């Protein structure tokens, strides 16, 4: 029997393969069987019923490919997840391959077999800010209304950290810090948390370990041990640099905000039916409560404000309150140190925020002719969010 490789087939290979059967017997010198003993009949493997919704999957692939083509990106990925359960409704990466013609993929291109949603770790940039802000609010270090005065740069251990536009935003509330995606202000927020608390929330949100989603070859990302952190490390993590995460980790953590502070395990298999007809229904699994309900509610409102007043205006869906955050992350230069001029755009959002039905993460690698995710992926999020709101016949929230 063939052996499952990668993804669902790799993860569930043992139960999918079934058993080809056995018979014990002896052969004479002419190869004829005699003394035939016990015969074990072959048995089919189990059937897996996935959480993937064919219609949502199709739409997600369409909007992802449209964005990649429009902005001439090298690659990209998208996930749609139900925050209350962790069920994955759609998951796609591009470039892709035809599984019926997998043998036609060249040896140089075989990395395409790996699912980027679970393997492609990257420094996420500003989409990480709501999680650090949530930690600070949850620890009563700040509130959405806390004000500060912030310049265009700050020095941490002789290292200059600038705002993305090198603009000083002046007096801001914490809500405005997210609206403006202010790196300098986020450094101040991380100072209020301190190394130990910031690290603890990274672990609580699930970074640095596998989510346990039922897919083979999942990566862990990378979170440096807190004892090795410098002040600069603590500061840059606050705006999504100096840490490596996978898309599945990031959407799972962000879904906790949409889900009232509860972190759910992402899953792809809703039922397993074995050859005898026995059905194992898979129940959603709560990993832990990371935030209290009041903190999660405050963050949802802050992220709605980002869409309505900040860099995410193009993500707005008329008639609905949706939350979101953009991220434009520079790609590290591993040969020479520092960062290259290439970027990765990410958008993460959910809605409707009074009772979130979905969370969406869209990632696009090395787009051309555009820098900020606010311009590229905000409209992409709007398109798939509008589709989902219509698909589930969710009435307007305004």
């Amino acid at each position: 029997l063939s052996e499952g490789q990668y993804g669902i087939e790799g993860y569930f290979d043992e139960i999918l393969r079934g058993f080809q059967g056995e018979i014990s017997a002896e052969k004479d010198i002419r190869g004829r069987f005699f003394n035939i003993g016990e015969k074990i009949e072959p048995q089919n493997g189990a059937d897996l019923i996935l959480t993937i919704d064919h219609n949502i999957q199709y739409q997600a692939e369409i909007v992802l490919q449209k964005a990649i083509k429009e902005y001439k990106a090298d690659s990209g990925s998208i996930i749609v997840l139900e925050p209350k359960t962790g069920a994955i409704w759609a998951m796609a990466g591009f470039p892709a391959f035809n599984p019926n013609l997998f043998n036609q993929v060249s040896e140089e291109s075989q990395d395409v077999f790996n699912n980027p949603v679970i393997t492609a770790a990257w420094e996420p940039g500003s989409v990480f800010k709501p999680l650090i802000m949530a930690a600070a609010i949850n620890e009563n270090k700040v509130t959405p209304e806390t004000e500060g005065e912030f310049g265009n740069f700050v020095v941490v251990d002789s290292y200059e950290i600038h705002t993305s536009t090198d603009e000083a935003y002046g007096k801001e509330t914490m809500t405005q810090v997210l609206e403006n995606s202010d790196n300098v202000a986020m450094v101040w927020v991380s100072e209020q948390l301190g190394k130990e608390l910031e690290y603890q929330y990274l672990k609580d949100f699930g970074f640095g370990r596998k989510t346990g989603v039922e897919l083979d070859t999942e990566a862990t990302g990378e979170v440096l041990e807190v004892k090795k952190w410098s002040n600069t490390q603590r500061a840059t993590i606050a705006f999504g640099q100096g840490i490596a995460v996978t898309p599945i980790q990031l959407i799972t953590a962000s879904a906790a905000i949409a889900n009232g502070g509860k972190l759910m395990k992402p899953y792809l298999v809703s039922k397993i039916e074995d050859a005898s007809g026995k059905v194992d229904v898979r129940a959603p699994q709560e990993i832990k409560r990371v935030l209290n309900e009041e903190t999660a509610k405050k963050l949802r409102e802050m992220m709605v404000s980002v869409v309505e007043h900040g860099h995410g205006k193009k993500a707005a869906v008329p008639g609905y309150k949706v939350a979101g955050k953009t991220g434009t992350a520079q790609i590290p230069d591993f040969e020479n140190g520092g960062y290259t001029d290439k970027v990765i755009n990410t958008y993460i959002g959910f809605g409707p925020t009074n009772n979130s039905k979905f969370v969406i993460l869209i990632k696009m690698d090395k787009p051309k002719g555009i820098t900020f995710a606010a311009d590229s992926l905000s409209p992409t999020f709007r398109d798939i969010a509008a589709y989902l709101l219509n698909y589930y016949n969710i009435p307007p929230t305004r």
Side-chain angles (χ1 to χ4, degrees):
L1 292 176
S2 60
E3 185 176 334
Q5 302 284 340
Y6 307 100
I8 286 280
E9 291 184 351
Y11 192 92
F12 287 101
D13 176 63
E14 190 172 331
I15 69 169
L16 285 171
R17 268 201 278 175
F19 182 69
Q20 60 185 356
E22 285 183 358
I23 187 169
S24 60
E26 295 182 54
K27 279 185 180 181
D28 62 19
I29 59 174
R30 294 186 179 181
R32 294 174 298 191
F33 288 105
F34 69 97
N35 284 345
I36 296 174
E38 183 182 1
K39 180 180 181 183
I40 302 175
E41 295 293 337
Q43 181 175 296
N44 290 330
D47 290 330
L48 305 180
I49 294 85
L50 304 185
T51 59
I52 295 291
D53 182 299
H54 174 78
N55 297 313
I56 299 173
Q57 178 72 25
Y58 176 78
Q59 190 67 22
E61 291 188 25
I62 291 296
V63 298
L64 176 64
Q65 291 178 31
K66 177 184 174 185
I68 288 173
K69 182 178 180 181
E70 182 175 356
Y71 299 109
K72 300 178 177 63
D74 285 7
S75 54
S77 52
I78 187 169
I79 322 173
V80 183
L81 177 146
E82 183 180 38
K84 291 180 181 178
T85 64
I88 296 169
W89 291 341
M91 174 187 285
F94 186 87
F97 68 99
N98 185 341
N100 295 315
L101 303 172
F102 72 93
N103 58 320
Q104 296 183 13
V105 175
S106 68
E107 190 172 331
E108 300 78 33
S109 304
Q110 287 190 4
D111 189 52
V112 78
F113 292 147
N114 288 312
N115 183 345
V117 167
I118 63 167
T119 61
W122 89 112
E123 295 188 12
S126 294
V127 285
F128 210 69
K129 290 172 180 172
L131 299 174
I132 300 300
M133 185 67 77
I137 291 175
N138 207 57
E139 292 295 324
N140 297 314
K141 302 296 184 182
V142 298
T143 72
E145 295 77 31
T146 298
E147 284 189 330
E149 185 96 26
F150 305 105
N152 66 317
F153 75 96
V154 64
V155 178
V156 180
D157 289 346
S158 75
Y159 180 75
E160 281 191 13
I161 295 173
H162 290 249
T163 61
S164 61
T165 59
D166 210 18
E167 173 185 352
Y169 294 104
K171 183 178 286 189
E172 298 171 288
T173 65
M174 292 301 102
T175 297
Q176 290 169 327
V177 166
L178 292 185
E179 289 173 6
N180 296 326
S181 203
D182 188 342
N183 294 344
V184 171
M186 286 304 303
V187 171
W188 179 83
V189 172
S190 78
E191 288 173 357
Q192 311 315 302
L193 265 179
K195 293 179 187 177
E196 296 294 337
L197 275 177
E198 185 167 304
Y199 178 79
Q200 186 57 53
Y201 274 90
L202 295 182
K203 304 305 285 186
D204 287 350
F205 275 120
F207 298 108
R209 67 173 184 268
K210 295 179 181 180
T211 65
V213 67
E214 309 107 311
L215 292 168
D216 204 25
T217 71
E218 183 183 5
T220 62
E222 186 175 354
V223 179
L224 197 65
E225 291 181 27
V226 69
K227 64 184 179 182
K228 298 179 181 178
W229 283 21
S230 63
N231 287 326
T232 306
Q233 185 92 25
R234 184 214 71 234
T236 58
I237 285 174
F239 53 88
Q241 291 185 342
I243 182 172
V245 308
T246 62
I248 191 66
Q249 288 175 331
L250 184 57
I251 195 171
T252 300
S254 301
I257 296 174
N259 188 38
K262 294 179 183 178
L263 187 73
M264 304 298 291
K265 181 180 177 179
Y267 70 104
L268 272 163
V269 177
S270 62
K271 296 177 185 177
I272 301 177
E273 184 173 347
D274 67 20
S276 68
K278 181 182 176 183
V279 178
D280 174 21
V281 178
R282 320 262 287 186
Q285 289 182 247
E286 180 183 331
I287 299 171
K288 71 178 300 179
R289 175 174 285 282
V290 183
L291 308 170
N292 64 54
E293 289 187 12
E294 188 60 28
T295 296
K297 181 180 179 182
K298 289 174 180 176
L299 258 294
R300 290 195 296 271
E301 290 303 316
M302 293 171 82
M303 292 175 72
V304 168
S305 194
V306 170
V307 172
E308 297 183 351
H309 306 294
H311 291 166
K313 292 186 182 73
K314 294 179 181 178
V317 181
Y320 295 89
K321 286 178 75 173
V322 294
K325 184 71 186 76
T326 59
T328 303
Q330 293 174 288
I331 298 175
D333 185 340
F334 294 109
E335 289 186 9
N336 305 307
Y339 289 85
T340 70
D341 59 355
K342 303 289 193 302
V343 298
I344 295 175
N345 286 353
T346 312
Y347 193 95
I348 192 154
F350 50 85
T353 51
N354 61 321
N355 184 20
S356 295
K357 181 72 174 173
F358 57 81
V359 186
I360 303 166
L361 182 146
I362 314 163
K363 175 175 173 278
M364 189 164 62
D365 308 316
K366 300 180 183 178
K368 313 297 187 298
I370 197 166
T371 299
F372 294 107
D375 299 316
S376 62
L377 293 185
S378 292
T380 307
F381 168 83
R382 179 197 61 218
D383 291 347
I384 187 69
Y387 171 83
L388 289 167
L389 291 163
N390 180 65
Y391 184 69
Y392 285 107
N393 198 26
I394 298 173
T397 52
R398 295 191 183 280

